[in-house]
Amino acid sequence: MMKYLQRIGKALMLPVACLPVCGILMGLGYALNPATMQGGDTVGAAATIGLFLVKAGGALIDNMSWLFVIGVAIGMSDDNDGTAALAGIVSWLMITNLLSSGTVSALTGADADPAFGKIGNQFIGILSGLIGASCYNRFKGTKLPDALAFFSGKRCVAIVTGIVSIIVSAVLFFVWPFIYGLLVSVGSAIVSLGAAGAGIYAFLNRLLIPFGLHHALNSVFWFDAIGIADLSKFWGFADGAVVGETGQYMAGFFAPMMFGIPAAALAIVHCAKPEQRKIAAGIMGSAAICSFICGVTEPFEFAFLFLAPALYLVYAILYGVFTFVAVSLGFRAGFCFSAGLTDLIFSSQLPTAQKVWLIIPLGIAAAIVFYILFRVVITKFDLKTPGREDADEYANEVNAVLANDDFTKVAEIVLEGIGGKENITSFENCITRLRFEIKDYTLVDEKKIKSAGVSGVIRPSKTAVQVVVGVQVQHVADELKKMM
C-alpha cells in the first residue's frame, strides 16, 4: 500500500511543478491590483497588468484537478503512455458531468444537494487519473474479434474507462452527499468551541486538502452556510462583522503558510541525501516562495503527502496548534485568496484586523517548530520525503557499466532469467535499476540474469527482484517494454 501511495506521490510531481510559478504570478497580480481581491474595477496600467497576471496564474491554480487527472493517469500507467491520460480525462468528464448539479437536478426532479456543486475537486481528479491508468494497464492489450478489431488494444481503453466511470458515478451519487454533509455537520458542531474550535477547523482543513473536501468545511466557516461568513464579513462583503471576533477562522493560517512552510521546506532539503539536495532544493524552494507570497501551499503539500503521509498528519496538527495560539492571543487577519504576504498586507488596513504585529513572533515560533519537528520526524522514522526516496539510494550505481551494448539482447536474457513475462506482475525502472514484482521467486535464475552483463541482482523480498544496470537502464527498459 505504501509503495502504491508513493507512486501516486511521484506521479503528482509533474503537475505540482506547474503550480509555484502560477501562485507567484497571482501574488504579484494581487499586489498590483488589490481591487481584484474584492471584485473591484480595473483602473490604470498597473491594475490592468495585475489582473492579467492574476488570470494567468489562475488558469492553472483554478484548474488544478485537471492537472492531477493527467499527471496521475500518465504516472500510474505501466509505460507512461498518453492513452492513459486520455482515459483519465474521459473518466473526469464522465464523473463531473454525471454528478453536476444540473444533471442531478434533472435526474431527480428536485434541487441538487449542495455537495454536487463541489464535485470538480482534487480528489475526483486523482480518482479519475487512477481509473484511467488502471483501465489502461488492464485493457491496453485487449484483442477483440475481427468484426470489432478496430477497437482492440489501446482504442478500447477509453470505452472501458467510460463504463467504469459510470459505475463509480452511481456509487458517488449516494456516497458523496453523505461525506459532504458529514463534514458540514462537523463544522457546525465545533463553532461553539472558540479558539479550540478554530484550531480543530484548521487541522481538518489541512487534512482534507488532498481530497478537495476542505471546501465543505470552508463553506461553514468562511461563507454563509450557517451564518458565520468569516471571510465575507471581514472584508465587508457582508454585514455583521464583530471586531475582535471576525477573522478567527482565517488568522491562524498566516504563520504556518508564511513562515512554517518555508522552514519545513528547508528541513526537507537538509534531510535530503547530499547527491539529491539540489533537486530537493529546487522543488522546496519554489514551493516555499509560493506559500510565503500568496499562500498557495499545494506545491509543498503534494511534494511529500503521498511519500510520507505520517509527516502530513504532523503538518496538519501544527496548523491546528498555531491557529489555536493565534486566535487565543487576539491576532486577527483575513484573506480573499489565501494566507500569504499579499493578503496580509492588504487585510491589515481593515478595521477588523487586530494585533497584526503578532505575525512576527508567531512567524518566528512557527519557523522554529516546523523546522525542528519536520527534521526530527523525517530522520527518526526515515521518511521518504523529496531527496530521500528509495530510488535515490542507488546514486552510487550511476558509474555501473553494462558489459553488453546490445540492449535488445540484454533485455531478452534478463526477461528469460526473471522467469518470462508470465512471471512478472509489474515492472518499472529507476535511474539505475530494473524493478520487477514477480509471482514465483523459484523461477528466477540469477546466473542467467548476470550473464547479460548487468552489474548485479538484488532480491529485497520473495516477490521483488531488482537488476542493477547503470545509467543505460532506460534503453534496456524500453526493449523490455516492447517484449512484454
Side-chain angles (χ1 to χ4, degrees), residues 369-407:
V369 174
F370 270 69
Y371 180 86
I372 292 175
L373 274 182
F374 264 65
R375 187 153 189 176
V376 169
V377 172
I378 290 170
T379 53
K380 183 174 179 60
F381 297 101
D382 191 25
L383 300 181
K384 304 304 180 184
T385 49
R388 293 174 61 87
E389 302 96 324
D390 289 338
D392 298 326
E393 294 177 5
Y394 311 113
N396 61 320
E397 294 172 5
V398 296
N399 295 319
V401 178
L402 185 63
N404 189 347
D405 290 333
D406 187 345
F407 304 123

Side-chain angles (χ1 to χ4, degrees), residues 289-340:
I289 293 172
C290 191
S291 179
F292 178 80
I293 293 176
C294 51
V296 174
T297 60
E298 284 84 358
F300 172 75
E301 292 158 345
F302 282 96
F304 74 92
L305 165 63
F306 290 101
L307 297 174
L311 184 62
Y312 192 86
L313 177 61
V314 173
Y315 168 74
I317 291 172
L318 287 174
Y319 263 82
V321 170
F322 274 95
T323 295
F324 169 75
V325 172
V327 173
S328 298
L329 292 176
F331 173 71
R332 298 290 183 271
F335 48 79
C336 273
F337 178 58
S338 191

Side-chain angles (χ1 to χ4, degrees), residues 352-370:
T352 42
Q354 298 290 305
K355 298 183 180 180
V356 179
W357 59 269
L358 279 174
I359 190 59
I360 301 302
L362 284 170
I364 293 173
I368 294 172
V369 174
F370 270 69

Side-chain angles (χ1 to χ4, degrees), residues 65-378:
S65 301
W66 285 79
L67 301 180
F68 284 6
V69 173
I70 297 170
V72 170
I74 293 179
M76 297 298 287
S77 64
D78 288 340
D79 49 9
N80 305 125
D81 194 282
T83 306
L86 176 63
I89 292 297
V90 167
S91 180
W92 165 263
L93 293 173
M94 281 281 208
I95 294 175
T96 54
N97 278 275
L98 287 174
L99 298 180
S100 66
S101 297
T103 303
V104 171
S105 295
L107 291 172
T108 60
D111 291 338
D113 189 291
F116 293 112
K118 300 293 183 181
I119 197 66
N121 55 63
Q122 292 98 309
F123 170 73
I124 299 299
I126 293 173
L127 177 63
S128 298
L130 291 174
I131 292 172
S134 298
C135 290
Y136 173 79
N137 294 339
R138 176 66 179 83
F139 297 102
K140 66 179 183 293
T142 300
K143 295 181 179 180
L144 299 175
D146 291 344
L148 299 173
F150 176 80
F151 297 103
S152 293
K154 294 179 180 179
R155 289 192 181 98
C156 80
V157 172
I159 298 172
V160 175
T161 300
I163 296 171
V164 172
S165 299
I166 290 173
I167 297 171
V168 171
S169 298
V171 174
L172 288 173
F173 179 83
F174 298 100
V175 174
W176 185 253
F178 171 77
I179 296 174
Y180 191 92
L182 179 63
L183 292 174
V184 172
S185 299
V186 169
S188 301
I190 64 179
V191 167
S192 62
L193 300 179
I200 294 172
Y201 159 64
F203 165 71
L204 293 175
N205 174 282
R206 289 298 100 179
L207 209 59
L208 295 170
I209 280 282
F211 309 104
L213 297 175
H214 58 298
H215 293 299
L217 279 182
N218 294 346
S219 67
V220 173
F221 295 97
W222 293 351
F223 308 111
D224 201 25
I226 61 173
I228 298 177
D230 202 44
L231 188 153
S232 301
K233 291 179 180 178
F234 188 92
W235 288 91
F237 302 156
D239 297 329
V242 178
V243 175
E245 179 179 325
T246 301
Q248 64 180 321
Y249 297 111
M250 296 180 287
F253 290 88
F254 282 93
M257 288 185 181
M258 290 178 60
F259 298 92
I261 284 179
L266 182 62
I268 289 175
V269 172
H270 286 168
C271 291
K273 293 177 171 60
E275 66 275 9
Q276 294 298 321
R277 198 159 287 159
K278 287 185 178 179
I279 297 175
I283 297 171
M284 290 292 106
S286 60
I289 293 172
C290 191
S291 179
F292 178 80
I293 293 176
C294 51
V296 174
T297 60
E298 284 84 358
F300 172 75
E301 292 158 345
F302 282 96
F304 74 92
L305 165 63
F306 290 101
L307 297 174
L311 184 62
Y312 192 86
L313 177 61
V314 173
Y315 168 74
I317 291 172
L318 287 174
Y319 263 82
V321 170
F322 274 95
T323 295
F324 169 75
V325 172
V327 173
S328 298
L329 292 176
F331 173 71
R332 298 290 183 271
F335 48 79
C336 273
F337 178 58
S338 191
L341 178 64
T342 305
D343 279 272
L344 179 66
I345 291 173
F346 294 115
S347 72
S348 65
Q349 309 303 313
L350 299 174
T352 42
Q354 298 290 305
K355 298 183 180 180
V356 179
W357 59 269
L358 279 174
I359 190 59
I360 301 302
L362 284 170
I364 293 173
I368 294 172
V369 174
F370 270 69
Y371 180 86
I372 292 175
L373 274 182
F374 264 65
R375 187 153 189 176
V376 169
V377 172
I378 290 170

Side-chain angles (χ1 to χ4, degrees), residues 423-466:
N423 194 38
I424 299 172
T425 57
S426 68
F427 155 67
E428 63 179 355
N429 66 279
C430 62
I431 57 175
T432 59
R433 296 184 183 185
L434 303 170
R435 297 168 173 269
F436 299 93
E437 290 292 327
I438 59 173
K439 299 175 183 177
D440 186 351
Y441 74 98
T442 63
L443 298 179
V444 177
D445 185 344
E446 290 191 24
K447 290 184 178 179
K448 183 68 177 179
I449 296 174
K450 290 179 180 178
S451 72
V454 300
S455 299
V457 178
I458 300 170
R459 305 180 70 169
S461 70
K462 288 185 176 181
T463 60
V465 179
Q466 299 175 6

